């Protein structure tokens, strides 16, 4: 792949994949040339344009011209508050190991709110997606059992979302029609980035990967002298943390753009 140096990971050197219905099922992010890099995917260029405009508006709050673009040419990466998070942990009550791994960590952050070992109300999750900066789901699939896709799709804004269930990011083709999948509802609602799995995963392996990802991104404790990393970089670095690095480790992908944490808010 021209222009990509596979021997090193350059900060802020990001690749965005726009894949057709024949390629989207493949974990191209785990190809040797891309695996060390910061790589995310988007359905089409209009989604990328929306997120660029959202980032510009979010960072500058300046007036837009007639074409919907800001007058400034200086780019600043999108940041969200690490203190503004909502979690849904083991809503089905059968992922005991996952709950044991994350419950003490999540309860140890007083600013966070969430639901553990019980099915949340749709209105509760709807409010969290709109009012919080980060939404984390640890359960089966992507949470369709309590959160309808139409509800998500109609939100005026949507938090950065981590959907760590089995096949939470799968996109299905229906003949000549465009791809469709539950994760697309989050993109249509304006979520800057969504982490989701392309296929089924085992709980202990994906838990280990997720925990490393949260540490690397900065959601959990990290060394003060470490350089800030985007969510996409954190996912990339976490792939080899489980034993099956090219099976479980290749399942998580990021739909969206690089998002960083604001540690001062």
């Amino acid at each position: 792949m021209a222009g990509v140096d596979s021997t090193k990971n350059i900060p802020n050197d990001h690749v965005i994949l726009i894949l057709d219905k024949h390629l989207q099922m493949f974990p191209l992010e785990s190809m040797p040339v891309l695996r060390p890099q910061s790589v995310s995917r988007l359905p089409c260029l209009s989604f990328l344009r929306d997120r660029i405009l959202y980032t510009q508006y979010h960072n500058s709050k300046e007036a837009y011209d007639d074409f919907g673009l800001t007058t400034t040419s200086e780019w600043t990466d999108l940041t969200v508050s690490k203190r503004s998070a909502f979690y849904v942990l083991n809503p089905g009550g059968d992922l005991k190991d996952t709950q044991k791994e994350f419950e003490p960590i999540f309860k140890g952050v007083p600013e966070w709110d969430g639901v553990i070992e019980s099915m949340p109300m749709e209105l509760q999750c709807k409010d969290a997606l709109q009012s919080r900066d980060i939404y984390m789901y640890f359960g089966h699939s992507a949470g369709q059992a309590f959160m309808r896709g139409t509800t998500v799709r109609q939100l005026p804004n949507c938090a950065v979302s981590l959907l760590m269930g089995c096949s939470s990011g799968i996109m299905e083709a229906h003949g000549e029609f465009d791809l469709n999948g539950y994760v697309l509802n989050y993109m249509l609602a304006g979520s800057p980035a969504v982490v989701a799995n392309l296929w089924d995963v085992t709980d202990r392996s994906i838990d280990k990967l997720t925990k490393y990802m949260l540490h690397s991104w900065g959601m959990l404790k990290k060394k003060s002298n470490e350089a800030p990393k985007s969510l996409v970089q954190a996912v990339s670095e976490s792939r080899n943390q489980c034993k099956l690095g090219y099976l479980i480790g290749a399942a998580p992908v990021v739909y969206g753009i690089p998002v960083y944490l604001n540690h001062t808010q």
Side-chain angles (χ1 to χ4, degrees):
M1 184 174 292
V4 177
D5 187 352
S6 62
T7 63
K8 57 183 178 179
N9 191 349
I10 303 174
N12 296 324
D13 187 15
H14 185 72
V15 177
I16 293 179
L17 303 176
I18 297 179
L19 307 174
D20 63 20
K21 62 183 179 181
H22 303 293
L23 292 176
Q24 55 82 28
M25 67 185 71
F26 297 107
L28 300 183
E29 293 88 340
S30 289
M31 291 193 305
V33 70
L34 291 178
R35 195 171 175 93
Q37 302 296 321
S38 173
V39 183
S40 65
R41 53 176 68 188
L42 281 168
C44 61
L45 282 174
S46 63
F47 281 82
L48 176 59
R49 180 181 183 276
D50 286 344
R51 276 140 190 84
I52 291 175
L53 294 178
Y54 172 80
T55 301
Q56 290 179 325
Y57 174 77
H58 181 272
N59 289 334
S60 65
K61 308 294 185 183
E62 294 180 357
Y64 285 71
D65 62 20
D66 294 337
F67 296 97
L69 299 174
T70 58
T71 56
T72 178
S73 60
E74 184 177 349
W75 174 260
T76 304
D77 290 310
L78 180 64
T79 61
V80 295
S81 174
K82 63 176 294 183
R83 296 185 175 91
S84 179
F86 184 89
Y87 54 84
V88 178
L89 178 60
N90 188 24
D94 55 350
L95 297 175
K96 298 296 184 182
D97 291 331
T98 301
Q99 181 177 339
K100 182 179 179 181
E101 184 74 37
F102 291 105
E103 182 175 5
I105 298 175
F106 292 171
K107 285 187 174 180
V109 184
E111 297 90 351
W112 294 4
D113 190 18
V115 177
I116 299 177
E117 205 175 3
S118 64
M119 199 73 71
M121 296 179 61
E122 184 180 58
L123 185 61
Q124 189 177 14
C125 292
K126 178 182 177 181
D127 179 68
L129 285 171
Q130 294 181 90
S131 61
R132 297 278 180 162
D133 284 1
I134 302 167
Y135 173 82
M136 299 182 288
Y137 171 77
F138 301 85
H140 296 294
S141 192
Q144 300 95 317
F146 55 83
M147 191 73 171
R148 291 170 294 176
T150 53
T151 300
V152 178
R153 185 165 63 244
Q154 294 170 2
L155 295 176
N157 60 280
C158 187
V160 173
S161 301
L162 313 180
L163 309 177
M164 304 312 298
C166 291
S167 300
S168 55
I170 190 171
M171 299 282 282
E172 298 179 345
H174 301 279
E176 296 299 319
F177 297 100
D178 291 335
L179 295 168
N180 190 29
Y182 184 75
V183 68
L184 189 60
N185 295 303
Y186 287 78
M187 303 304 297
L188 290 169
S191 176
V194 183
V195 181
N197 294 311
L198 292 177
W199 53 74
D200 290 358
V201 292
T202 56
D203 54 352
R204 292 188 180 183
S205 292
I206 200 66
D207 290 346
K208 186 175 182 181
L209 182 152
T210 303
K211 189 174 182 179
Y212 187 93
M213 175 189 70
L214 293 175
H215 273 289
S216 181
W217 191 27
M219 285 290 286
L220 308 181
K221 291 182 180 180
K222 62 182 297 184
K223 297 179 181 178
S224 58
N225 58 349
E226 286 189 52
K229 297 176 183 176
S230 71
L231 176 59
V232 186
Q233 287 175 301
V235 172
S236 175
E237 293 180 2
S238 67
R239 297 192 186 280
N240 293 325
Q241 297 306 308
C242 48
K243 291 183 179 179
L244 302 175
Y246 282 88
L247 183 60
I248 307 300
V253 297
V254 181
Y255 292 91
I257 61 174
V259 178
Y260 293 81
L261 289 178
N262 188 333
H263 295 272
T264 62
Q265 294 182 356

